[in-house]
Amino acid sequence: MFNLLPPDLELSISLLLIACAGLTSAITASVGVGGGVLLLAVMALVLPPAAIIPVHGMVQLGSNLNRALMTLRDLDPKLLWVFAPGAFLGAWLGSLFLVQLPMALLQLIIAVFILYLCWGPKLPALALGQRGTFIAALVTSFISLFAGATGPLVAAFVKQRYQGEKFRTVANFAAAMSLQHLPKALVFGAAGFVFIDWLGLMLWMILAGALGTWLGLKVLRRMSHQGFNLAFNLLLSLLALRLIWQGLTGL
């Protein structure tokens, strides 16, 4: 059996996290990115350190699965067939090195790549093809076990692949992140994290996220292609600048 909410967590904090899950899912569904990092920032303030990445990963898995299912007709099977093995291999390699990596350096590297993918020249076809997609999945899945901040990098890569087409970008980013978060359950479960203690809260947050996604997709349908791309790039750039600030202060 599991508790509806973690008994060691104040009710107000649990309700705050549930509300934030709904709000951040709506942001990602409408603008394409940003909700996962925002939710991670909130969770980092109120949850025990050992629970942040595992709980965030499972909530994001549920949120991204919901968004992928709601945008099923825009999914690209070619991306998923290549991204899946890369994501699982990256998570497996990461499980062999569950130690503290130089977080500040990781944050700076991720931020630079995000800004390049947003504002730099289009990646060559080879980088956006099967081999490039596999490598992107492997590297970001590996890093996500330690940093939990690779969502914007995956989003920027997916946007380049689909040239900013809003529904294909949102749908395939959701599917890619589902594949990236799924191995986390296996890795952190094997490492001894007790998911059952947090299951009730995670389910409530996933349900709130489904509602937020539904509302966010309604906003996305009303948004122009140009407006989506501008909002997407600006939000990604703000997230990258946040990573740069965190990285520089952590050096």
Side-chain angles (χ1 to χ4, degrees):
M1 293 296 292
F2 65 92
N3 296 304
L4 291 177
L5 293 172
D8 296 330
L9 205 63
E10 292 182 15
L11 177 61
S12 59
I13 292 178
S14 294
L15 294 176
L16 170 67
L17 290 174
I18 293 168
C20 284
L23 175 62
T24 54
S25 290
I27 291 172
T28 303
S30 58
V31 184
V33 71
V37 174
L38 180 57
L39 182 61
L40 181 64
V42 174
M43 293 173 74
L45 296 174
V46 297
L47 288 185
I52 296 169
I53 299 297
V55 174
H56 178 264
M58 292 305 96
V59 172
Q60 287 301 103
L61 171 60
S63 178
N64 282 291
L65 274 175
N66 282 327
R67 192 158 60 255
L69 290 172
M70 292 182 193
T71 54
L72 197 59
R73 66 181 180 179
D74 293 292
L75 293 181
D76 181 3
K78 293 180 181 178
L79 172 77
L80 305 183
W81 280 114
V82 179
F83 198 93
F88 277 84
L89 179 59
W92 175 74
L93 290 173
S95 71
L96 304 179
F97 300 96
L98 273 179
V99 295
Q100 184 64 46
L101 295 181
M103 185 65 67
L105 181 60
L106 283 176
Q107 289 169 327
L108 291 173
I109 292 173
I110 291 171
V112 169
F113 273 106
I114 291 171
L115 291 174
Y116 175 83
L117 289 170
C118 283
W119 306 107
K122 191 177 187 297
L123 289 174
L126 181 63
L128 295 171
Q130 292 188 345
R131 185 177 300 176
T133 300
F134 176 84
I135 293 172
L138 188 152
V139 172
T140 56
S141 297
F142 179 90
I143 295 174
S144 71
L145 289 172
F146 314 101
T150 57
L153 182 55
V154 177
F157 177 83
V158 171
K159 176 182 176 290
Q160 280 235 358
R161 184 180 172 103
Y162 299 108
Q163 301 181 17
E165 201 288 311
K166 59 181 184 179
F167 271 99
R168 284 176 70 79
T169 298
V170 169
N172 289 287
F173 172 53
M177 292 308 294
S178 298
L179 291 170
Q180 190 173 92
H181 286 300
L182 182 58
K184 286 185 179 181
L186 303 176
V187 171
F188 284 107
F193 184 77
V194 186
F195 280 101
I196 193 68
D197 293 345
W198 298 90
L199 184 57
L201 176 62
M202 290 190 296
L203 290 175
W204 282 114
M205 291 178 72
I206 290 170
L207 287 173
L211 177 60
T213 294
W214 180 75
L215 293 171
L217 289 175
K218 285 187 170 295
V219 174
L220 180 62
R221 289 188 182 94
R222 296 175 176 271
M223 193 179 300
S224 69
H225 180 79
Q226 293 79 8
F228 171 81
N229 277 292
L230 179 60
F232 192 94
N233 282 346
L234 288 176
L235 187 51
L236 272 179
S237 298
L238 288 174
L239 294 172
L241 291 174
R242 174 179 174 271
L243 286 173
I244 290 174
W245 178 77
Q246 289 178 320
L248 291 175
T249 56
L251 288 176

